[in-house]
Amino acid sequence: MTMSALGEPCVLLKLGEIVLKGKNRELFERRLISNIRDALQELGLKLDVRRRHGVIAIFLPDGSSAEQALAVAERVADVPGLVWIHPAWRVAKDPDAVLKAGVELIGEREEEVARKATFAVRSRRRDKRFPLRSNELDRFVGGAINDAYGLPVDLRKPELTLSIEVDRDEVFVFTGGLPGQGGLPVGSSGRALVLMSGGIDSPVAAYRMMRRGLHVDFLHFSGIPFTTSESIYKAYALVRKLDRFQGKSRLWVVPFGKAQQSIRNSGQDRLAVIAQRRLMLKTAEEVAHRIRAAALVTGDALGQVSSQTLTNITAQDHAVELPILRPLVGWDKTEIMAEARRIGTLEISELPDEDCCSLLAPKRAETRAKIEDLKQIEKRLDAEELAVQLADSIQEYTL
Ligand code: ATP
Ligand code: MG
């Protein structure tokens, strides 16, 4: 037994948008808990994940340390659907036990205590049968902290906040926490296929759609046999990085070099980029049907490059029947880069590679491609048949 008044380390999770759900909330919460359990498997701990009246609590095995609770919290912080992750202490449902734990927990914040930082106690009761009301509990514990360390109270903008949450079977006590990813649990919106280049935009697009509840697979077009495999390694590294948000990610690679050569040989230089993008989409649609994905996702942003003008985006939409989701359509490049940095994909995207698109770089690209002209090229190529052949030639890379 330890001499600490702190009880057992645990982790308390606050749900995001799910709380706005009505009848379906149950389904979303179950999906979220299952995703949390999957993510935590790699830690190899025997954890108990429980729903508690609007929050989720993760209990660690007896004798676990605060460091282990922190490791659990850091892993869960990558699971979409949560807004806050609090490493916390589980204390007996008794005002004196809560008071002792609160005083000890503040005492651990040595730096703030030494410089007499301001503090506040914020209590909530999910179980109204607790003998003290929230504001009474605030004053009870706050008074003791003030007596013990002489810290001044500031209810508006405290530097230190002690949170106390009274639950059915126990009380949770914590200071601070990690922000979560927000959004919805992965899988609650279905499945999609991301067209994944080695660039900056598509990994961010994938992440944004995961956060809206899609589980995604990844499709990469490589210039092989006319380029090196570098772009494949990059795509693979990016998928690995993104996998911690959803798990079970798969990368499919299309050897696209020969098809690009045919497009180039069709003579319509200025239309080559859009014709190629349409062939990518047709191939992706074929793959999506095979793996039961209900939408395609790209990293297009309106006006970013000549293939992403409104006319050219429309020409791409007309190439397929599946919806093309473009979560970055209204984003600036600087915003996309900031997000890429935050989720850890930027440094991989910035590695040099030989993108398959560089095989087709016309001097002047068409910004207003006409669908009739594109259809002409596609007729000569027999694009529909070519897309099926390309889909037949994909290789799967599992993590
Ligand atoms: P990024 O490559 O990061 O997406 P970008 O500005 O280079 O950004 P484009 O090259 O115009 O964008 O490509 C637009 C979109 O087309 C990409 O976001 C991606 O979804 C898809 N795409 C482009 N090249 C490939 C590729 N080689 N494999 C798979 N998808 C691709
Ligand atoms: Mg690109």
Side-chain angles (χ1 to χ4, degrees):
M1 282 310 291
T2 78
M3 296 301 288
S4 164
L6 285 175
E8 306 275 332
C10 63
V11 182
L12 197 62
L13 313 176
K14 298 296 172 70
L15 312 188
E17 225 176 284
I18 292 179
V19 300
L20 304 175
K21 300 283 170 197
K23 278 199 240 101
N24 290 332
R25 178 165 172 172
E26 175 80 19
L27 269 164
F28 282 88
E29 276 194 37
R30 261 196 255 141
R31 169 79 65 170
L32 177 59
I33 287 182
S34 146
N35 292 350
I36 290 168
R37 290 204 175 106
D38 287 349
L40 288 172
Q41 270 197 354
E42 68 186 48
L43 297 183
L45 291 168
K46 215 177 159 312
L47 300 166
D48 184 7
V49 183
R50 293 212 202 145
R51 273 170 69 183
R52 277 293 157 82
H53 221 90
V55 301
I56 294 170
I58 306 177
F59 300 117
L60 286 83
D62 281 348
S64 297
S65 64
E67 288 71 32
Q68 283 171 313
L70 186 60
V72 169
E74 281 171 351
R75 183 63 192 88
V76 182
D78 286 333
V79 177
L82 299 167
V83 285
W84 280 103
I85 294 94
H86 302 288
W89 295 91
R90 180 191 197 186
V91 179
K93 250 177 112 171
D94 153 50
D96 290 316
V98 174
L99 178 141
K100 282 202 192 114
V103 170
E104 185 167 333
L105 200 51
I106 291 291
E108 285 183 352
R109 304 286 289 253
E110 287 171 14
E111 186 269 327
E112 283 99 338
V113 170
R115 65 179 166 83
K116 299 260 182 285
T118 58
F119 84 103
V121 180
R122 304 219 199 273
S123 305
R124 290 177 63 171
R125 292 190 307 170
R126 283 191 285 275
D127 179 355
K128 306 286 182 205
R129 292 169 308 176
F130 195 70
L132 298 183
R133 277 190 306 221
S134 301
N135 55 354
E136 291 168 340
L137 190 55
D138 286 350
R139 262 175 286 153
F140 180 61
V141 178
I145 290 170
N146 188 262
D147 289 346
Y149 310 112
L151 302 188
V153 172
D154 179 351
L155 295 181
R156 285 236 180 101
K157 269 190 128 190
E159 292 166 273
L160 257 177
T161 301
L162 179 77
S163 302
I164 300 172
E165 302 199 357
V166 179
D167 223 308
R168 198 186 62 205
D169 300 330
E170 65 262 297
V171 179
F172 298 104
V173 184
F174 55 89
T175 57
L178 312 171
Q181 303 296 326
L184 296 170
V186 169
S188 60
S189 302
R191 307 172 62 86
L193 182 63
V194 175
L195 281 85
M196 181 83 159
S197 70
I200 293 168
D201 306 331
S202 37
V204 176
Y207 166 78
R208 299 300 297 196
M209 293 324 299
M210 289 176 191
R211 268 186 37 165
R212 295 312 300 162
L214 284 177
H215 189 279
V216 301
D217 280 314
F218 299 88
L219 188 67
H220 174 70
F221 292 82
S222 134
I224 274 183
F226 303 117
T227 59
T228 60
S229 308
E230 268 167 23
S231 79
I232 301 175
Y233 302 145
K234 266 178 85 174
Y236 186 82
L238 288 166
V239 171
R240 277 191 66 149
K241 201 72 179 173
L242 291 167
D243 186 60
R244 68 188 205 283
F245 299 111
Q246 67 165 14
K248 304 193 187 86
S249 306
R250 293 181 298 181
L251 168 66
W252 310 91
V253 176
V254 185
F256 200 51
K258 293 208 175 110
Q260 289 180 298
Q261 201 174 39
S262 317
I263 292 173
R264 198 171 32 193
N265 293 343
S266 74
Q268 295 263 23
D269 209 29
R270 290 183 59 168
L271 287 175
V273 173
I274 300 301
Q276 153 177 297
R277 197 50 53 76
R278 278 171 58 107
L279 184 57
M280 283 184 183
L281 289 164
K282 286 177 194 287
T283 307
E285 183 172 50
E286 181 63 30
V287 174
H289 287 319
R290 296 180 189 187
I291 64 170
R292 296 174 194 282
L296 305 177
V297 177
T298 72
D300 294 318
L302 185 62
Q304 193 193 76
V305 288
S306 62
S307 56
Q308 294 166 24
T309 61
L310 196 51
T311 316
N312 287 351
I313 281 183
T314 307
Q316 293 174 52
D317 281 334
H318 280 271
V320 289
E321 277 172 19
L322 280 182
I324 303 173
L325 304 178
R326 298 182 175 89
L328 308 184
V329 72
W331 288 40
D332 288 0
K333 195 75 189 186
T334 50
E335 292 167 334
I336 299 171
M337 287 178 76
E339 184 76 335
R341 192 174 291 117
R342 190 181 72 78
I343 64 173
T345 55
L346 186 66
E347 57 180 21
I348 303 170
S349 296
E350 284 183 336
L351 295 171
D353 73 343
E354 211 181 346
D355 186 67
C356 73
C357 297
S358 58
L359 295 175
L360 281 184
K363 282 168 240 70
R364 262 189 78 208
E366 181 58 65
T367 56
R368 292 158 146 270
K370 292 205 180 62
I371 293 176
E372 280 319 307
D373 298 342
L374 290 161
K375 286 198 169 150
Q376 286 280 317
I377 301 177
E378 287 165 2
K379 213 162 149 191
R380 259 176 275 143
L381 283 175
D382 197 358
E384 304 300 326
E385 178 53 30
L386 187 52
V388 173
Q389 285 170 15
L390 287 166
D392 286 339
S393 69
I394 55 175
Q395 276 194 2
E396 181 181 348
Y397 291 69
T398 34
L399 299 189

